[in-house]
Amino acid sequence: MIFLKTDDEIELLRQSNLLVGKTLAELAKVIKPGVTTKELDKVAEEYIRDNGATPTFKGFPNFKGASFPASICTSVNEQVVHGIPSDVVLKDGDIVSVDCGTYMNGFCGDSAYTFPVGEVSDSVLHLLKTTKEALYKGIENAVSGKRLGDIGSAVQEYCENESFGVVREFVGHGIGKEMHEDPMVPNYGKRGNGILLKNGLCIAIEPMITLGDRHIVMERDGWTVRTVDHSCAAHFEHTIAIRKGKADILSSFKFVEEVLGEKAI
Ligand code: MG
Ligand code: MG
């Protein structure tokens, strides 16, 4: 069931999502070779709680009923999504996708950014730029009167045109009082297919794109998703609302990119 949101509810969603954007910026300040993903998790959890919110990911159940043990997902290199922060040290040339969720005033925030660690190769940088641009291609299609398939097909076409893989098994989603609501928002599809997009629809669009083959496997920890061929994967996510016929981006990369400067993707 799809819950369309009122303007007041959208403003509450925006507040929660802006906090996600600011949390990602706190992480942008500390992501460098030598830092562990567990240290990033600590920074994020403290910042979220200091701002009167709770990290939605902590305790989130998986298909086995196990609880996610951290406040952010940190997915390094071949890890696509849902990586668990650990004592693994980030090194020069790595990439790390940070996915962050907050719950504040009854509404959820959800956004992700993939950070280069030090200097990354040209091919990996191209993957990051393409994935981020694909997110905006999807958002351009999140307007009233279009259909859900228009979003996915825009993402898919843009990435496959660069010979990158588009992950199918994990998708974007509706968002509101719950982090995952209907509808599912795939990063592939056919133009003109799927539900009609309407004002009040709030969704997270989140392309997960691979440098090599699109196939993925879940690690034995029951969370971490990685590419079968061990090629790098990138993940960018915004939460958006359709308002007055157009996409209103509720999360923000502005804070992150102020910190990253010319290193912004
Ligand atoms: Mg997310
Ligand atoms: Mg999401």
Side-chain angles (χ1 to χ4, degrees):
M1 179 165 185
I2 295 170
F3 300 104
L4 298 177
K5 275 77 182 177
T6 64
D7 279 355
D8 286 349
E9 289 173 324
I10 289 170
E11 288 315 306
L12 292 171
L13 264 172
R14 191 190 310 277
Q15 286 176 25
S16 200
N17 275 286
L18 286 177
L19 179 58
V20 174
K22 289 176 183 171
T23 306
L24 291 173
E26 291 303 303
L27 299 176
K29 291 176 188 171
V30 292
I31 291 175
K32 52 173 83 91
V35 76
T36 68
T37 49
K38 206 179 243 180
E39 288 167 328
L40 302 181
D41 182 54
K42 187 164 180 282
V43 169
E45 180 166 9
E46 280 179 9
Y47 189 79
I48 291 168
R49 294 194 192 280
D50 284 351
N51 282 278
T54 51
T56 351
F57 294 1
K58 198 157 207 178
F60 196 84
N62 71 359
F63 66 99
K64 291 176 177 166
S67 293
F68 193 73
S71 296
I72 52 173
C73 296
T74 52
S75 306
V76 180
N77 299 337
E78 78 239 39
Q79 297 175 346
V80 184
V81 284
H82 305 164
I84 302 171
S86 72
D87 293 322
V88 166
V89 177
L90 295 177
K91 57 185 195 307
D92 191 43
D94 283 347
I95 54 172
V96 59
S97 138
V98 180
D99 195 350
C100 180
T102 56
Y103 183 76
M104 191 167 74
N105 299 322
F107 284 88
C108 293
D110 190 8
S111 179
Y113 197 93
T114 304
F115 297 86
V117 182
E119 292 297 323
V120 301
S121 70
D122 288 347
S123 61
V124 168
L125 194 58
H126 184 48
L127 172 72
L128 299 185
K129 287 183 183 297
T130 301
T131 306
K132 185 182 163 199
E133 189 57 30
L135 167 60
Y136 288 104
K137 298 287 176 198
I139 291 171
E140 276 172 26
N141 281 275
V143 297
S144 60
K146 288 212 180 212
R147 290 184 179 270
L148 200 60
D150 294 317
I151 297 173
S153 68
V155 171
Q156 181 181 11
E157 266 174 38
Y158 191 76
C159 295
E160 289 184 348
N161 213 23
E162 300 295 326
S163 302
F164 294 140
V166 177
V167 171
R168 308 287 175 98
E169 293 84 350
F170 291 85
V171 296
H173 48 89
I175 181 166
K177 291 184 177 173
E178 301 286 338
M179 181 164 64
H180 294 148
E181 297 185 356
D182 288 336
M184 292 203 285
V185 183
N187 296 302
Y188 60 92
K190 287 200 167 66
R191 246 176 246 183
N193 273 20
I195 61 155
L196 190 63
L197 304 177
K198 291 181 185 167
N199 284 326
L201 183 70
C202 297
I203 52 175
I205 303 175
E206 48 180 316
M208 291 154 242
I209 308 299
T210 65
L211 197 52
D213 185 86
R214 69 171 173 84
H215 290 99
I216 50 111
V217 65
M218 185 177 285
E219 298 283 14
R220 283 195 194 161
D221 61 17
W223 291 102
T224 312
V225 173
R226 72 159 168 85
T227 55
V228 170
D229 66 3
H230 296 278
S231 67
C232 275
H235 178 213
F236 286 83
E237 176 179 24
H238 269 316
T239 292
I240 68 113
I242 301 179
R243 277 183 72 232
K244 299 180 181 152
K246 295 206 176 87
D248 183 352
I249 303 175
L250 304 179
S251 46
S252 177
F253 295 154
K254 185 184 81 157
F255 310 106
V256 164
E257 298 194 334
E258 280 170 4
V259 174
L260 292 181
E262 62 183 21
K263 290 254 172 194
I265 296 306

